[in-house]
Amino acid sequence: MSRALIRFAGRTLAVALLAGAAGIAQADASAAPPALYGFGTADAAAQRDLERRFDAHLDAADMRAWMQSMASAPNHVGSPHDKANAEFVLQQFRDWGWDARIETFEVLYPTPKSQALELLAPTRFTASLKEPPIDGDASSARTDGALPPYLAYGGDGDVTAELVYVNYGMPDDYKELARHGIDVKGKIVIARYGAGWRGLKPKLAYEHGAVGCIVYSDPHEDGYRAGDAYPKGGWRPPEGVQRGSVQDMPVYSGDPLTPGVGATKGAKRLAIKDARTILKIPTLPISYADAQPLLAALGGDTVPANWRGALPITYHFGPGPAKVHLAVQSNWDMKTLYDVIATLKGSQYPDQWVMRGNHRDGWVFGAWDPLSGQVAMLAEAKAIGALAKAGWKPKRTLVYASWDGEEPGLLGSTEWAEAHAEELRRKAVLYVNSDTNVRGFLDMGGSHSLQRLLNQVAADVRDPETGVSVLERKRAKIEVDGYAKDATPEQKESAKRAADGDVPLEALGSGSDFSPFLQHLGVAALNLGFDGEDQQGGVYHSDYDTFEHYVRFGDPGFAYGVALAQTAGRVMLRVADADVLPLRFGDVADTYGRYVEELHKLADGERERSVTLGRLLDAHAFALAADPTRASAPPPREDAVPFLDLAPLDNALVRLRASAKAFDAAYAAAAQKDFALAAAQRNAVDGVLQGIEQALTDAQGLPGRPWYKHMIYAPGLHTGYGVKTMPGVREAIEERRWGEANRYAAVIAKTLDGYSADLDKAAAALGAR
């Protein structure tokens, strides 16, 4: 996302770095290129030539024109422009030579019927709940047909109650409220965006007894504290509102009424009241202009320093004297999704699918999110089509998808994946996702068997601003972040790993369309995109996510659109044409070993913390340390933490390390012989590797949420988008469910043993002894 040098250094240093980069590029041109992972020598040379021709077809002007057209009108699910964009994308794919079609699904998609928010006491104020046009942004005035700011899948209701400020509305915030003697039962809460996914805020509010929830963007995280507000700068203006979904996606993604099956017209559906992912209380998003009068009316104690935002007021907890009326009524209608699916059939292995996707729907215009990624994907598809028209054919089948309905809850991708689940389990090799894309640094997340492949690809793509590879720029950023005085332990560990070898892949949680493929079906996945130098916070999910804003503050010349197309396109082409699927498993064993080590440390840390807490309570330390003039209570005493049985995981890791080492050695030996394998041998190896990620799934899924079947990666129940690795054990420890932690240690160990057994089969097929 060293980028820090480029961002903050003066012009002289920047010029020097660019000159140095040019020298590096010249030196690289005269050196022999490194071997391509998955290719013999002759095929590697042909592959590099193919990628040069692919690059030649990428055109930033195409991306700009496509975005300007696709973001020219409101683009939410059910809008005329959403369907028009689907038809436009379909025609483009067909013109480029792809076999393309639209697949439709019928999903529950609530939209606002009426919304109201009023402060009734101690003064009166009516929230505008609107986003006015911005001078100089013509799109922001073209809002006919746009939906007002709202939170999809929140409950209907009309409530009046005292207001309580709950900071970010996360679990630790409610613990802090309890220490101050504050109960939100029967109250309306107001929470600021940040620290966790928005859907957790009303969910946790309801679980604590609140009758309504307001979520606002505080300028501390998202506004003038970060930089000049739009239109002078790119940051959120006072009236800007972050829309979004509050569907309980950590339970399952997709249509709330058809969990686990595609939402076709004839699908069996739940009653709305029985859908677990629809929330129970009325919830509204508001701007900081609308939030300030509400927060200013609160009384009670002032909040701790880390609860204070950047508004020019004193932040108080409440409850009262602020009294609020909140009313939300929705149209609970069915809407049609339009997924565009395009295919180039493989010439040798048509039943091995290499998949690529980016969603197309937005909350309003959606220039940043998602069309910046969509147009890069379209550029890839156009370039690949040109290669195919010139005579090249992929060995494996390429499948490109323009998803609808991602914003409300990954609807289009989930329903398609569920509808095609059995075929995907048999055929899908890889799913490559992207979403928002702007200036900055390559985000690299995904299945760790793909780490070597992605590092090689990133080393071959030049960063538009510096001239060095996007890999080296990413590596420098990770190392600089790890060097910082306030670096987290995770940042320090990542910096060490990046300095000593490949740039590590981030584990994937949720928040985009990779989730149904990776976490439900067990298809290996990557999530790619550039970011880090933008000012997207100012427009995220608002009326101001426009073409005009993007070309000023996102990626003005679409150079990073080209870089994304080069990166994702190379992944697609290499996996499609590799002699043997390009997976490496030492990276998997090393990464999973760190996860198990983290579990040991987490359990030990909880044990030590409980002992320390007991000692402090016995000594009445919290009472002695508190301000006696303010209400404050000590935290509750915790039960002792038992010693957990993580031995099954430790033993499974020993086997995984041995199996990964044997496979990687056999793979390297085959590569030295240019993968001169008999057809049956090659098919046997690829047959195992195609579905090996599925060995990491368990049919019973995670506790309380069986839709999530991957035992290594999942979104956290209390983090939303944020990942929890080995979640069956990690979350059980965090929630102090000791029996469940022991049980899932055995479950995960069993999946790792199955994964190792598959590696042993693949190594044997390669001729390992």
Side-chain angles (χ1 to χ4, degrees):
M1 268 182 186
S2 169
R3 137 177 152 188
L5 291 175
I6 300 300
R7 292 176 69 183
F8 301 117
R11 177 179 176 84
T12 301
L13 179 55
V15 171
L17 283 170
L18 291 171
I24 292 170
Q26 187 173 7
D28 286 348
S30 63
L36 280 188
Y37 199 72
F39 291 83
T41 304
D43 287 342
Q47 184 69 20
R48 290 190 183 281
D49 179 67
L50 178 74
E51 291 170 7
R52 283 190 289 271
R53 289 184 282 134
F54 169 81
D55 287 350
H57 289 289
L58 300 175
D59 188 348
D62 281 344
M63 299 185 206
R64 180 186 175 95
W66 293 330
M67 178 184 284
Q68 189 165 17
S69 172
M70 296 179 76
S72 62
N75 187 34
H76 57 271
V77 169
S79 67
H81 195 59
D82 179 47
K83 183 179 180 182
N85 279 345
E87 292 167 345
F88 168 77
V89 170
L90 174 68
Q91 190 58 52
Q92 296 303 303
F93 274 116
R94 288 176 172 173
D95 289 347
W96 301 331
W98 293 72
D99 180 8
R101 66 190 185 279
I102 288 178
E103 292 192 32
T104 61
F105 297 95
E106 303 300 317
V107 299
L108 180 69
Y109 181 66
T111 55
K113 181 185 296 182
S114 64
Q115 301 182 134
L117 177 63
E118 304 169 274
L119 177 67
L120 304 179
T123 59
R124 297 192 69 90
F125 167 75
T126 300
S128 72
L129 308 180
K130 295 179 180 178
E131 295 176 293
I134 293 286
D135 289 342
D137 187 333
S139 294
S140 68
R142 294 198 301 268
T143 55
D144 287 348
L147 297 172
Y150 81 112
L151 294 173
Y153 302 108
D156 283 352
D158 189 325
V159 294
T160 299
E162 289 184 313
L163 189 66
V164 178
Y165 174 55
V166 295
N167 194 26
Y168 297 112
M170 293 291 105
D172 285 347
D173 297 321
Y174 284 97
K175 293 177 183 178
E176 183 70 20
L177 287 169
R179 290 193 62 194
H180 288 268
I182 298 171
D183 186 352
V184 303
K185 186 175 182 179
K187 308 295 193 299
I188 295 171
V189 304
I190 182 168
R192 54 175 168 161
Y193 274 112
W197 177 58
R198 78 180 72 81
L200 295 173
K201 301 173 190 293
K203 178 182 179 179
L204 290 169
Y206 170 75
E207 290 175 355
H208 285 83
V211 297
C213 181
I214 303 162
V215 188
Y216 79 101
S217 301
D218 196 288
H220 184 273
E221 289 79 28
D222 191 6
Y224 52 73
R225 183 177 181 271
D228 289 324
Y230 194 46
K232 182 178 180 181
W235 294 97
R236 192 174 298 275
E239 296 84 8
V241 184
Q242 183 190 141
R243 296 156 176 78
S245 175
V246 293
Q247 183 189 133
D248 199 358
M249 285 190 288
V251 174
Y252 59 85
S253 70
D255 176 34
L257 305 186
T258 58
V261 297
T264 56
K265 287 186 177 180
K268 185 177 180 180
R269 287 173 165 79
L270 299 173
I272 291 176
K273 66 180 178 59
D274 296 325
R276 291 180 62 198
T277 57
I278 296 174
L279 301 193
K280 307 298 184 184
I281 59 175
T283 306
L284 268 183
I286 63 173
S287 65
Y288 57 85
D290 277 344
Q292 183 169 330
L294 306 181
L295 293 166
L298 285 170
D301 287 343
T302 55
V303 301
N306 61 354
W307 281 47
R308 298 168 193 166
L311 290 170
I313 60 172
T314 301
Y315 287 70
H316 293 266
F317 287 114
K323 190 174 184 179
V324 168
H325 171 231
L326 169 64
V328 176
Q329 293 294 321
S330 299
N331 295 302
W332 294 88
D333 297 332
M334 304 296 289
K335 294 289 192 299
T336 301
L337 300 179
Y338 301 92
D339 288 343
V340 183
I341 309 296
T343 304
L344 276 181
K345 188 174 182 179
S347 60
Q348 296 184 30
Y349 314 112
D351 288 337
Q352 293 182 20
W353 292 1
V354 186
M355 298 190 63
R356 175 80 171 91
N358 197 109
H359 77 99
R360 190 187 62 252
D361 66 297
W363 281 111
V364 190
F365 303 103
W368 291 70
D369 180 11
L371 295 177
S372 57
Q374 176 79 193
V375 298
M377 186 184 76
L378 293 180
E380 295 166 38
K382 181 179 180 181
I384 290 171
L387 296 176
K389 287 181 179 181
W392 168 82
K393 299 296 179 186
K395 292 179 182 178
R396 297 174 179 86
T397 295
L398 294 175
V399 181
Y400 270 59
S402 175
W403 304 120
D404 200 358
E406 187 268 1
E407 294 293 2
L410 317 184
L411 304 183
S413 58
T414 299
E415 299 316 312
W416 192 87
E418 290 175 341
H420 296 272
E422 291 308 312
E423 190 172 23
L424 288 166
R425 290 188 182 102
R426 294 194 312 271
K427 298 179 180 180
V429 169
L430 167 67
Y431 174 75
V432 179
N433 190 68
S434 59
D435 202 317
T436 299
N437 187 67
V438 293
R439 295 190 312 118
F441 309 85
L442 179 62
D443 282 340
M444 303 165 61
S447 303
H448 287 87
S449 56
L450 299 160
Q451 184 167 293
R452 176 87 286 258
L453 167 68
L454 187 53
N455 270 258
Q456 276 204 337
V457 164
D460 286 346
V461 176
R462 293 293 168 183
D463 175 70
E465 292 180 324
T466 66
V468 303
S469 73
V470 298
L471 180 71
E472 285 313 300
R473 199 167 186 221
K474 177 70 171 182
R475 188 191 308 277
K477 172 60 174 171
I478 291 173
E479 292 190 64
V480 169
D481 285 349
Y483 171 77
K485 288 184 178 180
D486 59 350
T488 66
E490 292 79 11
Q491 287 175 316
K492 292 177 181 178
E493 174 64 25
S494 292
K496 180 180 178 181
R497 290 161 57 197
D500 294 341
D502 280 349
V503 170
L505 298 189
E506 296 293 328
L508 294 179
S510 188
S512 198
D513 291 304
F514 56 79
S515 204
F517 296 95
L518 176 64
Q519 293 151 349
H520 182 59
L521 297 179
V523 175
L526 290 172
N527 190 52
L528 305 176
F530 290 85
D531 71 5
E533 294 179 335
D534 59 279
Q535 298 183 39
Q536 189 204 2
V539 300
Y540 180 64
H541 288 190
S542 78
D543 273 355
Y544 312 128
D545 181 358
T546 61
F547 175 78
E548 289 88 342
H549 190 285
Y550 186 82
V551 297
R552 285 184 63 192
F553 302 110
D555 182 16
F558 289 80
Y560 280 92
V562 172
L564 176 57
Q566 290 174 323
T567 304
R570 275 169 169 72
V571 171
M572 298 296 291
L573 293 173
R574 290 186 191 183
V575 177
D577 278 356
D579 294 326
V580 177
L581 288 172
L583 307 180
R584 191 174 78 177
F585 295 93
D587 304 312
V588 175
D590 290 344
T591 301
Y592 293 2
R594 284 189 289 274
Y595 294 163
V596 172
E597 182 181 358
E598 289 170 5
L599 295 178
H600 280 283
K601 290 180 178 179
L602 178 62
D604 291 343
E606 286 293 312
R607 186 178 305 106
E608 293 171 6
R609 181 178 173 278
S610 292
V611 170
T612 301
L613 175 61
R615 178 178 59 80
L616 294 173
L617 289 170
D618 291 341
H620 306 289
F622 291 97
L624 295 173
D627 181 346
T629 67
R630 298 177 58 139
S632 179
R637 191 177 296 272
E638 296 175 347
D639 294 336
V641 178
F643 285 90
L644 301 178
D645 184 10
L646 302 183
L649 285 174
D650 298 328
N651 294 330
L653 272 173
V654 172
R655 179 178 179 185
L656 176 58
R657 288 190 176 106
S659 297
K661 183 177 181 180
F663 174 85
D664 289 349
Y667 194 96
Q672 289 179 346
K673 299 176 182 178
D674 286 339
F675 292 104
L677 305 173
Q681 191 179 13
R682 190 188 307 266
N683 291 339
V685 176
D686 272 1
V688 174
L689 298 183
Q690 174 271 320
I692 194 167
E693 191 86 15
Q694 293 174 44
L696 298 172
T697 65
D698 181 79
Q700 300 303 310
L702 293 176
R705 43 182 183 149
W707 188 88
Y708 285 95
K709 300 188 183 302
H710 205 293
M711 292 294 105
I712 309 299
Y713 316 112
L717 270 174
H718 290 140
T719 57
Y721 293 164
V723 67
K724 293 288 184 180
T725 55
M726 299 191 173
V729 177
R730 187 179 298 272
E731 291 193 316
I733 295 173
E734 292 170 345
E735 300 294 328
R736 306 176 72 81
R737 299 190 297 266
W738 313 123
E740 185 177 289
N742 287 331
R743 186 165 62 254
Y744 269 83
V747 171
I748 297 171
K750 184 178 179 181
T751 66
L752 293 179
D753 283 341
Y755 192 77
S756 297
D758 283 350
L759 281 178
D760 295 342
K761 292 176 187 176
L766 280 170
R769 295 292 185 264

